[in-house]
Amino acid sequence: MTGKTIAEKILSEKADTDVRAGEYVEADIDVAMAHDITGPLAFETFDDVTGDDAELFAPERTVFTIDHHAPADGVKAANNHNAVREFAAEHGAHQFDVGDGICHAVLVEEGFVHPGDLVVGADSHSTTYGGIGAFGTGVGSTDLGTALATGDLWFRIPETKRFEVHGDLPDGVYAKDLILKFIGDVGFDGCTYQAAEYGGGAIESLPIHERLVLSNMAIEMGGKTGFVEPDERTASYLEHQAGIECDLDGPTSPDDDAVYESIHTYQATDLAPQVSKPANPENAVDVGAVEGTPIDQLFVGTCTNGRYEDIKLVADVVEGEELAPNVRMVVVPASGSVYRRMLETGVFETLVDAGAIIQNAGCGPCAGYHQGVLGDGDVCLATANRNFPGREGSMDSSVYLASPATVGVSALYGEITDPRRGDPQRYDDVVLTEEVPT
Amino acid sequence: MTTDLDHGQAWTFGDDIDTDQITPSRFIVSSDPEELAEHAFEDLRPAFAAEVSEGDYVVAGHNFGSGSSREHAPLSLIGAGVSGIVAQSFARIFFRNALNLGLPVMICPAADQIDDGDDVSIDLGDGLVHNHTTDETYDAEPLPEFLQSLVDEGGLKAYTKTKLGTE
């Protein structure tokens, strides 16, 4: 018998049976999550399947957030928020409210997810948890509602695509550029029904917030999940950021003889900053191919690149400068703790001085609900994960995806600009230690 | 188990139709299938909601239902009375959600041979798609045994009620 991938190992453990890609199992859930859009439907399912005296499978590992329409943009959204609050209170689950932040940021920051966990979230970007070595995957509300009751769900064990990046990343190239490159190479559906494993020296050297970017966007190539093997850096991050100790001896390393669907190998030094053109993340090109494209709006935020380090990078780039007169920049921290840290460290003031608009923590305009929706003909350069037609507003608007560095430099020039044209910035204060200033 | 569904008109779409195009995100503050159905494909194909008939089919290319995990997308099609979806391939979460909600989905490599407005029907049990306009029959992938049994039990809710003894 050959070895196993991380996906095969985690699902084998959670199903308590030895399984390989292609098999179906019912596996035990460690953490379940829903938010203000997907929660109310999940609650209906839970009530329907449980009947009277219903209890959550594990209230202490059930988390609900209010992040998508936060603060409420209308009565229906406000009523959805109330449904989340009432259900959480009735059943004793953890509940994060308006301003606390995006589910995927909060669950990691607050220590709900450990390496090796099986995490289901009623949101497609639940793949994010793979950045700390958990099997995170997105499900619908019906799945989530039944999981809240039973503590398990059915899974098909996915085949795995492995992406290896060797060498040191050049200036101006970040995890966002890597994942856009991967998606561009395998296609928008290139990883459908599969897991992604990311490895190699360049990825091992990434700080945790960068690894979360890789896992977050696994879904943009159809992936069921996306892992970075957890290591001492993961443990240090979780200790400092989330205040938890984690066990690295779990089922989170692939065997040397694991069988992969395919292995994609890159040399880091060959890579350039990437931009995904409208209207699909797979339209990734070297930034030079779109340089000079005029921009109307810049959006820094989302569960992909709305972490403190991302926003600080943008602040470092624009510090002491003024944004180009033709652009507006919307900055939305991914969590309340990011927001507070921006205040404490002066990042908030730097951005405001440069002319940026800063909103409360949450999803912001990412899916075109509110707080920065695009009009006809508008062009946005975003640190987000999706640029589908009409994603951030009008069907006649356009969204380009890029790293925070590219977005920051482009804000100064008012057009898509190679980040290497600015003063090359790195996440200097976090790369080595993962320590979080208090 | 009824596996041979009635005839209906095909509404054809291309590749990579994401959940926001199926149900624009500005309407997902509701989870009522009837209300969502009023906005199905509203930006992509504005005539759909008004002109779709009970029993019609959505026919698409590759990667149908990509993007969000929101069940509002399959729910809007259920609310619109769509009998089933035939596509060359589906995004994973959408495929799973549709099955969980009891909306038939079939992976059919020849889906691109079906024209808009063709009269079609699907045979879930045998994995076939019939095009009555051209008098052609296309092979589709039958569901894996595990999923077929889940569908046979009436979808995930019914399956879970049996497991919990709460029927």
Side-chain angles (χ1 to χ4, degrees), chain A residues 201-222:
Chain A
I203 285 166
E204 289 165 14
S205 68
L206 289 175
I208 302 306
H209 68 274
E210 284 270 82
R211 299 182 189 184
L212 293 166
V213 176
L214 297 176
S215 52
N216 174 274
M217 289 191 69
I219 183 65
E220 259 57 71
M221 46 189 175

Side-chain angles (χ1 to χ4, degrees), chain A residues 234-426:
Chain A
T234 315
S236 177
Y237 172 88
L238 289 174
E239 182 186 346
H240 287 104
Q241 172 65 57
I244 58 172
E245 291 187 17
C246 68
D247 174 12
L248 296 175
D249 297 328
T252 50
S253 302
D255 289 326
D256 290 340
D257 57 346
V259 177
Y260 293 99
E261 192 269 338
S262 57
I263 298 176
H264 304 257
T265 305
Y266 298 84
Q267 292 301 323
T269 48
D270 293 342
L271 300 173
Q274 300 289 298
V275 175
S276 276
K277 299 188 292 184
N280 190 313
E282 77 174 10
N283 296 335
V285 294
D286 287 358
V287 62
V290 287
E291 255 199 308
T293 304
I295 303 164
D296 301 294
Q297 179 161 307
L298 301 118
F299 172 30
V300 179
T302 81
C303 54
T304 311
N305 279 114
R307 296 182 184 81
Y308 173 78
E309 295 83 357
D310 300 319
I311 296 172
K312 179 167 189 304
L313 189 63
V314 173
D316 287 348
V317 171
V318 303
E319 185 168 15
E321 309 278 350
E322 288 184 6
L323 304 186
N326 59 304
V327 301
R328 53 195 182 265
M329 178 190 271
V330 175
V331 179
V332 186
S335 73
S337 72
V338 171
Y339 189 98
R340 283 189 293 275
R341 206 169 152 197
M342 288 166 61
L343 284 169
E344 290 162 4
T345 59
V347 162
F348 200 107
E349 190 175 2
T350 299
L351 289 167
V352 171
D353 285 348
I357 301 153
I358 301 178
Q359 300 177 357
N360 62 283
C363 297
C366 174
Y369 309 125
H370 64 162
Q371 293 185 321
V373 170
L374 302 176
D376 296 344
D378 279 349
V379 176
C380 180
L381 181 65
T383 67
N385 41 45
R386 289 185 173 150
N387 56 353
F388 302 153
R391 173 72 181 179
E392 290 183 28
S394 165
M395 286 292 280
D396 293 325
S397 64
S398 306
V399 179
Y400 291 77
L401 306 176
S403 76
T406 302
V407 171
V409 174
S410 299
L412 298 178
Y413 289 90
E415 56 188 35
I416 295 178
T417 305
D418 190 324
R420 294 167 297 193
R421 192 164 149 192
D423 178 22
Q425 305 281 331
R426 296 222 69 89

Side-chain angles (χ1 to χ4, degrees), chain A residues 56 58-64 85-95:
Chain A
L56 297 175
E60 72 282 5
R61 304 204 76 182
T62 302
V63 187
F64 301 119
R85 294 180 185 114
E86 287 164 16
F87 187 89
E90 181 182 352
H91 295 282
H94 293 271
Q95 186 240 313

Side-chain angles (χ1 to χ4, degrees), chain A residues 123-207:
Chain A
D123 188 282
S124 61
H125 289 106
S126 301
T127 54
T128 305
Y129 312 120
I132 55 170
F135 189 112
T137 194
V139 295
S141 293
T142 300
D143 267 326
L144 200 276
T146 63
L148 291 177
T150 64
D152 60 30
L153 271 183
W154 66 268
F155 292 92
R156 178 184 179 280
I157 316 297
E159 289 80 15
T160 297
K161 269 192 171 70
R162 186 167 170 88
F163 296 86
E164 293 196 354
V165 186
H166 301 289
D168 296 326
L169 291 179
D171 281 342
V173 176
Y174 301 86
K176 182 61 162 288
D177 303 297
L178 297 181
I179 188 64
L180 293 179
K181 179 74 175 170
F182 300 160
I183 297 165
D185 285 354
V186 303
F188 186 41
D189 61 353
C191 225
T192 300
Y193 305 117
Q194 299 172 355
E197 255 185 42
Y198 309 109
I203 285 166
E204 289 165 14
S205 68
L206 289 175

